[in-house]
Amino acid sequence: MEYKSSKSKDRQSFNDGPKGKHKPKERKQVQVNVGVMVPHGTDLKPLRGKTLLLFTDPDVAAPDLLKQAVEKIGTFIMDMPEGPYVLLYHDCSEVVYVPGSERPFKLSEYKKEVGKPYARITFFICLEKHYKRVDDTSDSDSEIVITTRSTAKFNQADTLRKLVPVVPAVAVEGFHASASVPKKNTTNNADCIVGSDEELDFCDQDSVASSVDSSAEDMFIDDMDPILDRPSSDLYLPEEDYDSKDALQHRKRLCLSSAEGGDRKSENGFYWTETEKWQSSDEADVEPPLLVFTPNQNPGPQILPNRCSSALQFFQLLFPKSMFQTIAGYTNSYAAKYEERKGKLWNFISQSDMKSYVALVIYMGMFRCSSLSDYWSESQHFSLSFPAKIMSYRKFLSISIVLHLSESREDEKNILKKGTAGYERLGKIQPLYQVIRESCKSYFHPFQNITIVERMVKPQAGTGLKQSLKSRSPNMGFKLFALTDCTCGYTWDFFVYEGKSCASRSEGLSYETVMALVDENMLGSGYKLFVDKFYTSPTLFTDLLDKKVLACGPVWPNRTGYPKSVKNKLLSNAPRGTMRWIRQDKLLFVEWKDSREVQMCSSFHKAYEGDTVQRKVRQDAHRTLEEIPVPAVVLDYSKNMEAVDSSDCVTEHFRAIHKPKKWYQCMFYHFLDIAVENAFIMQELVTKENGHADSAAGRKCFLQSCVT
């Protein structure tokens, strides 16, 4: 028996050793985020830049989690005040129970309840005296004020919320935040308390949760301007709604409001009186004085009557012959070094080869195959004879790989300047970029109605220039802003967005984009600019009037300068066709109820001119067509913007099957699209001016003429 007992002990010691298979597994710790809440007026607000990672047990209870969070943050904040502290959720409620139940808090159960990974969960600590002070204030008398609901959908209805009055924020003892003395920014029916510009631009790289805040890039992707649409103190929603689409928009745009009477002045100098009344469609509006349209040149193509007769000649106006030779030289220089590294020799290409290459790219936009090699297929049942006559498959593929638009030696010099002010981010496309821009402006002058459009060029390679348009494509790409003619769709000018590091921080990207593209010295006066809600602002429209340019477009209802009056304001349950308008100085603001609320701003429209549109209206159990009133600004805007479609991409199919690896090659194909489309538009306009037969199916013939 003694022998068996000793053997049993030996086996147990062996199994419990460092390599034992039956050794109990250690509990794996999980990662959450902890931050600090500080008083902000009568509310609590997360202190930016103080969010840290915390590794803890998944079954940790609230008291232990609070203790660990205080110890973690105390190691990084040297002058952290003495407690006691409380542990809070995002909505500033104390962590005691699992939300929606009476079960005591346990981290693993909370994670299941919200359905989020541990790394996306954030808790906050707050001094108990600050938490109690804010909690006591929230029980005091409050006022009914207007605030916007979620803006995930364009121009949703306003709603009433019961909020406490906003009072100036005070510096918080022990925590030194850049937001301790905030600025006051008035927006739609809201006095938005925001931090300084430095706080908006600040980003703590060690903080995971800080990336959830609405940064400048995130706002830009969602058609918001980081300067004009600043985040507010009411930034955080309950945890269970944190990842919803509405919640993301809510955190970016929702602002608090105080219901003080008297005159208000926003940051851009617009005065609004709380007692100002919104007018109805029955009340007459004054016709605003219109500017005389005086363009610097006659609108339309600016070419001699007999200079261009063929499609190729129109194309070569915008994409000159000399550019083919220049690109061939840059490509040869780059390809020679590229092939030399692999121990091969490069067969130099000529100007003629470059023309043939461009012709085949255009050809592939007309006749689409499933792969690039199919264009050179020798199958008896499926084959295209044209590509093989122009260029071999191997040569075409070689040019596609090494296509270059700049001098290699200049690229090497530019790379050495990276990180300095002298670094040119668009250096690899500058030669062609400038030629196309100048050509587009030289050979055409816009008609009276113009607009600013955004375009996305999808790349395959990674670079710091990539952006995203959520409403159009989930893919990342290079964003371009273009001034386009509403009458014919001609792209008159454009530029590539280089990222927030190159954007202005004074007036905002939307403002400066319009000011950069609308050149009154080249255009003239009396132009009418139609823009979407990303650009529209009272400041922009007023400054455009000073340049003798009229403007209109939809506007975010909580953008700086929008009227704050709630007297006779459009109600959320108003019948379809109801409108309200208010005029301030030279600007008209209109609210109109269609299937949803629409807010517009204009510097040249009258509120209502008796126009109607047909809409299906529910009556009893049926829907019938009825004529409902529509403001003139809505009708005019819809008419002009519907006529503007993004330019047809003749190279889109080639890019889809070839997938260029270099970002500057993607830009080359987009510049080629602009040149082809603009050339076709000019040919059509010239043909109509000369009284020739209608060219309804002219685009296909135009492309065939360019290729052959």
Side-chain angles (χ1 to χ4, degrees):
M1 293 296 292
E2 292 180 0
Y3 175 78
K4 291 180 68 176
S5 177
S6 63
K7 280 293 185 182
S8 176
K9 290 181 179 179
D10 290 342
R11 283 195 297 269
Q12 290 177 2
S13 63
F14 174 78
N15 290 336
D16 290 338
K19 295 184 180 180
K21 297 182 180 179
H22 302 288
K23 183 179 179 180
K25 293 184 178 179
E26 294 183 1
R27 199 170 203 34
K28 185 178 180 181
Q29 290 191 324
V30 296
Q31 169 193 311
V32 295
N33 307 293
V34 291
V36 179
M37 283 277 190
V38 294
H40 188 84
T42 57
D43 293 323
L44 292 175
K45 178 181 178 181
L47 188 61
R48 295 195 63 183
K50 304 299 182 183
T51 307
L52 303 172
L53 301 180
L54 176 65
F55 292 91
T56 186
D57 190 272
D59 290 332
V60 66
D64 295 331
L65 182 59
L66 172 61
K67 182 179 178 180
Q68 296 174 19
V70 172
E71 291 177 355
K72 179 71 173 180
I73 295 176
T75 59
F76 286 86
I77 302 180
M78 303 304 297
D79 55 351
M80 183 174 174
E82 294 293 332
Y85 286 87
V86 293
L87 190 67
L88 304 179
Y89 292 115
H90 269 101
D91 61 350
C92 300
S93 61
E94 188 174 0
V95 179
V96 179
Y97 302 105
V98 175
S101 70
E102 295 184 357
R103 303 192 309 273
F105 173 86
K106 186 183 290 187
L107 182 58
S108 57
E109 294 186 12
Y110 175 69
K111 186 246 184 188
K112 292 180 181 178
E113 187 71 24
V114 299
K116 297 169 61 174
Y118 287 108
R120 295 290 307 279
I121 296 175
T122 306
F123 300 97
F124 297 90
I125 64 171
C126 177
L127 282 169
E128 186 176 355
K129 59 181 180 181
H130 293 162
Y131 175 71
K132 289 183 177 179
R133 185 179 70 188
V134 172
D135 191 47
D136 293 340
T137 308
S138 63
D139 294 332
S140 62
D141 293 337
S142 57
E143 302 176 12
I144 299 296
V145 295
I146 292 292
T147 181
T148 58
R149 201 186 299 160
S150 169
T151 53
K153 296 182 180 180
F154 173 65
N155 292 328
Q156 287 286 0
D158 289 345
T159 184
L160 290 173
R161 289 184 57 193
K162 199 170 185 180
L163 300 173
V164 297
V166 176
V167 297
V170 295
V172 182
E173 79 172 284
F175 298 104
H176 300 288
S178 59
S180 59
V181 184
K183 294 180 182 178
K184 188 171 184 180
N185 178 27
T186 56
T187 54
N188 179 38
N189 302 315
D191 285 346
C192 177
I193 303 298
V194 298
S196 62
D197 292 340
E198 290 79 7
E199 181 191 355
L200 287 175
D201 298 331
F202 179 76
C203 179
D204 185 6
Q205 295 180 355
D206 296 330
S207 171
V208 175
S210 63
S211 64
V212 180
D213 295 335
S214 55
S215 65
E217 292 295 344
D218 292 333
M219 296 181 72
F220 172 55
I221 291 172
D222 284 316
D223 281 344
M224 303 178 210
D225 192 292
I227 303 298
L228 298 176
D229 301 301
R230 297 185 179 184
S232 70
S233 57
D234 191 15
L235 205 59
Y236 296 94
L237 295 178
E239 190 73 37
E240 58 268 24
D241 297 329
Y242 194 77
D243 280 341
S244 66
K245 184 178 178 182
D246 289 349
L248 293 174
Q249 291 278 0
H250 180 94
R251 293 197 303 275
K252 294 173 184 175
R253 301 193 61 87
L254 188 59
C255 295
L256 294 175
S257 171
S258 64
E260 302 170 356
D263 292 344
R264 305 277 184 88
K265 182 180 180 181
S266 63
E267 289 182 356
N268 59 4
F270 287 91
Y271 284 92
W272 295 108
T273 306
E274 293 294 329
T275 57
E276 283 190 0
K277 177 185 175 183
W278 286 85
Q279 310 293 322
S280 65
S281 58
D282 297 331
E283 298 172 271
D285 184 23
V286 180
E287 183 79 32
L290 294 180
L291 299 174
V292 179
F293 180 50
T294 54
N296 288 343
Q297 302 182 58
N298 292 329
Q302 305 296 310
I303 55 177
L304 297 175
N306 299 324
R307 180 174 178 179
C308 296
S309 57
S310 66
L312 184 60
Q313 289 176 329
F314 280 100
F315 173 72
Q316 289 177 346
L317 286 176
L318 306 176
F319 205 105
K321 295 179 181 179
S322 59
M323 206 63 228
F324 287 102
Q325 183 62 47
T326 302
I327 295 175
Y330 292 152
T331 301
N332 286 329
S333 176
Y334 173 77
K337 294 182 180 180
Y338 177 82
E339 294 293 337
E340 186 179 1
R341 289 196 295 265
K342 299 191 298 182
K344 299 180 180 179
L345 294 177
W346 169 253
N347 294 323
F348 281 67
I349 62 174
S350 63
Q351 178 182 357
S352 178
D353 292 330
M354 200 65 223
K355 289 182 179 180
S356 299
Y357 175 81
V358 171
L360 284 178
V361 171
I362 297 174
Y363 176 84
M364 291 175 186
M366 301 167 59
F367 303 94
R368 304 194 171 190
C369 296
S370 57
S371 67
L372 195 61
S373 59
D374 287 345
Y375 288 97
W376 284 266
S377 173
E378 297 180 356
S379 170
Q380 295 181 353
H381 305 288
F382 175 78
S383 63
L384 297 172
S385 60
F386 181 77
K389 294 179 181 178
I390 300 298
M391 184 179 291
S392 67
Y393 171 67
R394 178 173 294 182
K395 187 172 186 178
F396 180 87
L397 189 61
S398 298
I399 296 176
S400 301
I401 294 173
V402 299
L403 181 66
H404 213 69
L405 308 178
S406 59
E407 179 60 51
S408 299
R409 287 174 295 182
E410 294 298 326
D411 293 341
E412 294 171 359
K413 294 179 182 179
N414 190 39
I415 291 175
L416 298 176
K417 300 177 184 178
K418 197 167 186 178
T420 66
Y423 177 67
E424 179 56 65
R425 302 187 75 183
L426 303 178
K428 291 190 175 183
I429 62 171
Q430 277 296 344
L432 180 61
Y433 180 38
Q434 295 302 330
V435 168
I436 296 295
R437 287 187 66 185
E438 292 301 321
S439 299
C440 289
K441 291 190 287 187
S442 299
Y443 294 105
F444 185 88
H445 198 80
F447 295 91
Q448 186 175 17
N449 295 344
I450 55 178
T451 185
I452 306 291
V453 297
E454 302 164 26
R455 294 175 183 166
M456 187 64 66
V457 181
K458 300 176 186 177
Q460 299 296 325
T463 174
L465 297 175
K466 288 195 290 184
Q467 298 294 318
S468 173
L469 277 179
K470 286 185 178 179
S471 60
R472 300 181 190 176
S473 171
N475 300 322
M476 299 293 285
F478 305 107
K479 195 165 190 175
L480 292 88
F481 295 98
L483 189 148
T484 306
D485 188 286
C486 291
T487 305
C488 58
Y490 185 94
T491 301
W492 187 72
D493 193 14
F494 63 92
F495 70 87
V496 181
Y497 175 61
E498 300 183 43
K500 67 176 181 180
S501 60
C502 300
S504 171
R505 300 166 188 257
S506 58
E507 298 292 347
L509 174 64
S510 59
Y511 177 94
E512 299 207 350
T513 295
V514 175
M515 287 300 185
L517 291 173
V518 180
D519 186 357
E520 74 278 12
N521 295 323
M522 292 191 67
L523 289 171
S525 62
Y527 274 88
K528 295 180 180 180
L529 177 67
F530 297 84
V531 293
D532 63 28
K533 58 184 177 292
F534 173 67
Y535 308 96
T536 304
S537 71
T539 303
L540 173 65
F541 284 12
T542 302
D543 291 349
L544 284 174
L545 276 177
D546 294 338
K547 300 173 71 170
K548 296 184 178 181
V549 176
L550 306 170
C552 83
V555 58
W556 287 111
N558 54 351
R559 176 152 285 190
T560 302
Y562 191 84
K564 294 174 174 45
S565 175
V566 297
K567 192 172 182 180
N568 198 33
K569 188 177 175 66
L570 185 67
L571 300 177
S572 59
N573 59 351
R576 206 167 189 175
T578 307
M579 72 175 70
R580 296 289 186 268
W581 62 271
I582 193 170
R583 185 173 290 279
Q584 176 65 21
D585 296 331
K586 300 178 181 179
L587 298 183
L588 170 72
F589 296 88
V590 176
E591 293 187 346
W592 178 60
K593 185 63 179 292
D594 195 12
S595 58
R596 53 188 175 184
E597 289 185 24
V598 178
Q599 288 88 11
M600 303 290 293
C601 179
S602 175
S603 60
F604 64 94
H605 285 96
K606 190 177 178 181
Y608 182 58
E609 298 183 0
D611 299 307
T612 60
V613 291
Q614 285 190 340
R615 291 290 188 270
K616 287 185 178 180
V617 179
R618 182 180 296 277
Q619 291 184 352
D620 298 329
H622 304 283
R623 297 173 65 91
T624 59
L625 277 176
E626 288 188 6
E627 297 284 341
I628 65 170
V630 59
V633 59
V634 174
L635 206 60
D636 197 18
Y637 178 83
S638 301
K639 176 183 176 182
N640 283 278
M641 294 304 289
E642 285 176 1
V644 178
D645 191 10
S646 57
S647 299
D648 294 324
C649 298
V650 70
T651 68
E652 182 178 7
H653 180 66
F654 168 73
R655 282 183 279 169
I657 60 176
H658 171 57
K659 295 180 175 60
K661 302 300 181 184
K662 304 294 184 181
W663 71 270
Y664 50 85
Q665 293 177 352
C666 297
M667 299 306 300
F668 167 78
Y669 299 123
H670 186 71
F671 294 158
L672 184 60
D673 286 333
I674 292 175
V676 169
E677 193 62 25
N678 281 354
F680 168 66
I681 291 171
M682 285 200 297
Q683 187 193 45
E684 276 206 326
L685 292 175
V686 170
T687 302
K688 291 179 181 178
E689 287 178 2
N690 295 336
H692 293 170
D694 182 35
S695 55
R699 192 170 189 277
K700 185 176 181 180
C701 296
F702 174 84
L703 295 177
Q704 290 176 349
S705 300
C706 289
V707 169
T708 56

